[in-house]
Amino acid sequence: MRLYKKEGATVQIISFPNEQVRKGDYLAIEDSKHGDNLIVQVIDMEYANIPGILEELLRNYDGDSSIAGEDVDPFDVAAHIRYIQDARLLICKIRASTHNGKLIPAGSHLPARSYARIRSVSVNELLTRPDGAEGYEIRLGETAEKTHLDVDVRALDGALNIITGKKGTGKSHIAKLLVLSLISHGAPVVIFDLNGEYIGLGQDTEGKPNEFSSKIHVLTPRQNFKVTLEQVKIHVLLNILVNALHLPGTSAREFRRIWHSLEQNGTLTMGELGEAIKNWRCNQHVRDALFSRYYTLLNSRLFTDNPALATSLENALDRARSGGAIVLNLRNESTTNRHIVVEYVLGKLVELLTTRRLRAIFLFAEEAHLYLRETYWDDIVTRMRHFGVFTTFITNQPDTIRENIYRQVDNLFVLNFTNEHDIDPISRAARVDAHTVKSIVRDLLPHHCLVLGKVVNDFPMIVKIKSLDVQAMGQTRLFFPVRICALTP
Amino acid sequence: MVNAQLPITTTPKYNFPLPQETLHPLELPKHFTKLSLLSLKPTQQKQRLSTKDTATQLPTHLRLQQSISSTELFPLTPNPIDTTIVAIDVSSIRLGETETGFLLGVRGAIVWKESKQYRYLRLGPFPFHITQRTEDEIRRLYRQDHPISRLQVRSIPQVYIIQSRLTTLLERWMQSFIIRTTRNSIILWDGSLAVDTTETPASTIKELLTAAHNNGNIILAFSKMTRLSLHGRRLTDLIFKHPPPCLLRIKEHINHFGQIRLMGNVYVAKFTKGKLAFRMDADKRRSSIEVVEAVQNLLGNDSILQSYPETLRLAHIFSTFTATEVLALQRCITQKSGLRVITTLNLRRLLFGRFGKTQKGC
Ligand SMILES: Nc1ncnc2c1ncn2[C@@H]1O[C@H](COP(=O)(O)OP(=O)(O)O)[C@@H](O)[C@H]1O
Ligand SMILES: [Mg+2]
């Protein structure tokens, strides 16, 4: 390999056919005279712009009217021609420098083109972890060099993460991997499981309980997840009424009065609530508005007046406190019900966090735009994060996540996207340049993920995510028994 | 019609050239390879080769300004009667300088057009390291009584024209080979039949022309129009009055000009519409009628693009070096001999120059 050109943070390197280089690989450009090395990453490959190549190709064109012939080439110059024709230009981004073997941020040092040596760098050279990192590793999978990629679980602590990629590329799989890793390191996790994909986390691929089975607590609304009005705080219920059920402000004020009166009488039940709305002295429009919401709540069958049938989220979270996950199975739930459940859970989490009953919680949200109201987005990355809600968003529509979330993201797991347009919002993330994301992501193989951010010391890496011995669930239901093979990218 | 009256000779079916006793198809490549390897051998003696004037263009083209007396025009009608056409061209290119000399690449190409099909044979490229020692070696070889030496230069080459000598060496051999192994064909050369006698003895060319004649071949040598004029009028202007295809015979008084000997008659060929015309030389011993007949067969058998026969154009393309080949040759030399190129090439010129050719025909 030879250093060819440097333009800003981009370095171009000529690589010859006998040198094995892949997109995503790291290279060190070594300047032995100064002891300074540049660490660059290959983000794209092109044909080297060999002069006269077009002429060469045209001349040797083997078309219908091709000219048969014979070459007496005693010096086998043809082999050298092929060698040159197959030379590639590696487009690389500067990621760091090293000075006397220590990693430092990339400086302005320009290695000498004439004598700079270029060698491959193994990713584990870049992920040097501080002392005391033992016991905090989680295995994501393996790198292109077929070495294990272990990252520090603490890089997820306090972090905002995004997992994205087109449908079926393994987003939920990565989320599950992260969930199980967090659990095994003693962290509590809550999952908004839109498609019921996480409910099998406690079972192995054969459906038998696995090592996590006692730590996975699946809550399915209306079945094992019901609440009493007592459990729901007035501000949470108002949030539900106003945000999920669009109750107008005047009616909401009236509702608050009704609530207080029931509270004072110690009759905070769904039955009493209905009676109270019926008899409450108020404008007929207000009463109608309240009644329609009341029936929605009633029909949601999420509420019970029987404390024995009610679920204590507090208790469930207590159990998860030293490692466990609560899976809120939102599959088969109406949009309204999803909203109600999410409002309730988030309200409860903030309550428990502010009262310090919970230290912190890792929240996994699949396709959050389907149940998270607008105002929550900012809340989650600012206020809630401050309280200790560390969220991982999972989506196949990156544009449903707002730009300010991308800007604050700590870790980004990007799987394959074929449509460049989809990648635009991701490439705005502050952690990496757009060129890197676009170039690498469109070529990612199945189960391969571009990992960006803190977990990888801000060295973007391509990882083949390891498989998991859990029930996959959530596979798309099909009519025909066997799916035809589609071309994978 | 002239053609209708001419006897029709059947063209023998073409077979791949059979080796003659003295000129096996691989003999010269072998010889060339040996010479090339020898030149690339590392040397202790660091004697610098004088490379000045190496780019000197040899005066292979005739200046006829003073000698033209009259012209004769021949309108042409393409004759599709099956005729084999063979074209030969050789290219050489300077690959850069070394500490002791310079590096050269030489390659030859033969293209056949036969039964509507083109076929080629390429010899090379051969890399050469031209140093004082190579020169001595070539000198030594030339003195030996090697069968091909009869076709070689008569005088001892000077350093600065070694490039041309090596090119000519390969070219004359290929020409000789084709002439002796082909019958009843039209043989196209690049250049003219005006020979620089310092490079090729007149007898060599005479021998080639005779051998061609004996085998029923006719040699037509094409070169770019030199600035010929007749009574103050450019010949190009004279021929452009006439509808193509046509041939203009130029009659001269003298047959040598300094070191240059005219071995052929000079014609101006305009085969297609447009601004281009070429000088075409044909054997002096061939009558204009014979030449016209041959050219009509050429027009009837080869495609003509911008007044130039396609077979010859292909030979030219197959022999010239692309920029990639230049890089490849440099690499090949570096690996074989450890020689490093000091002056880098002007790739621009390679790319935008006419097929990157530096030596001949341009
Ligand atoms: N790294 C992996 N190793 C093995 N199987 C995987 C991996 N990633 C995904 N899968 C499988 O591929 C399928 C689709 O993955 P999934 O995570 O559901 O995709 P997505 O959530 O992006 O639609 C699932 O059956 C999953 O088990
Ligand atoms: Mg999924």
Side-chain angles (χ1 to χ4, degrees), chain A residues 167-168 170-173 176 195 197-198 366-367 394 396 474:
Chain A
K167 192 166 162 272
K171 296 179 298 295
S172 307
H173 183 92
K176 288 172 196 169
N195 302 310
E197 288 175 82
Y198 296 78
E366 285 248 6
E367 303 301 348
I394 301 130
N396 59 20

Side-chain angles (χ1 to χ4, degrees), chain B residues 28-44:
Chain B
L28 192 107
K30 255 192 222 155
H31 191 73
F32 237 64
T33 309
K34 241 165 70 189
L35 198 59
S36 163
L37 283 172
L38 207 72
S39 81
L40 295 176
K41 242 195 195 150
T43 172
Q44 260 72 48

Side-chain angles (χ1 to χ4, degrees), chain A residues 436-456:
Chain A
T436 298
V437 177
K438 284 195 176 157
S439 169
I440 291 181
V441 162
R442 64 162 182 259
D443 286 350
L444 282 173
L445 296 168
H447 301 176
H448 285 67
C449 174
L450 172 66
V451 185
L452 305 162
K454 282 183 182 172
V455 278
V456 284

Side-chain angles (χ1 to χ4, degrees), chain A residues 321-435:
Chain A
R321 198 153 25 185
S322 54
I326 292 168
V327 181
L328 285 146
N329 180 9
L330 302 178
R331 187 179 177 176
N332 304 328
E333 292 306 308
S334 67
T335 313
T336 312
N337 276 16
R338 281 188 220 140
H339 273 118
I340 296 172
V341 170
V342 169
E343 286 283 354
Y344 173 72
V345 173
L346 286 179
K348 208 69 190 169
L349 288 179
V350 170
E351 182 192 317
L352 296 174
L353 288 163
T354 43
T355 57
R356 304 267 167 189
R357 186 159 167 187
L358 203 59
R359 195 143 47 105
I361 188 92
F362 291 89
L363 183 71
F364 284 76
E366 285 248 6
E367 303 301 348
H369 62 284
L370 295 179
Y371 47 77
L372 211 60
R373 66 176 150 94
E374 287 280 290
T375 49
Y376 261 136
W377 289 98
D378 293 324
D379 217 26
I380 274 178
V381 292
T382 53
R383 196 174 63 93
M384 290 213 194
R385 190 178 185 181
H386 196 72
F387 284 134
V389 180
F390 309 138
T391 312
T392 299
F393 290 112
I394 301 130
T395 184
N396 59 20
Q397 292 170 263
D399 60 349
T400 58
I401 296 177
R402 293 165 165 218
E403 194 170 327
N404 66 322
I405 306 231
Y406 282 109
R407 284 191 198 290
Q408 302 196 45
V409 79
D410 296 293
N411 299 296
L412 205 57
F413 300 83
V414 191
L415 293 126
N416 184 279
F417 274 111
T418 23
N419 188 346
E420 191 163 299
H421 197 69
D422 287 332
I423 309 168
D424 286 336
I426 309 163
S427 55
R428 277 185 228 121
R431 300 214 82 98
V432 77
D433 60 288
H435 192 175

Side-chain angles (χ1 to χ4, degrees), chain B residues 11 16 25 72 102 115 119 123 140 143 170 194 204 218 223 230 240 269 281 296 326 333 337 355:
Chain B
T11 317
F16 201 79
E72 189 182 355
F102 64 92
S115 327
R119 190 148 47 109
L123 302 179
R140 202 177 59 76
R143 285 208 204 92
L170 184 60
T204 301
I218 184 160
S223 55
L230 179 67
F240 283 120
D281 289 18
Q296 296 195 123
V326 168
I333 292 169
S337 66
F355 302 118

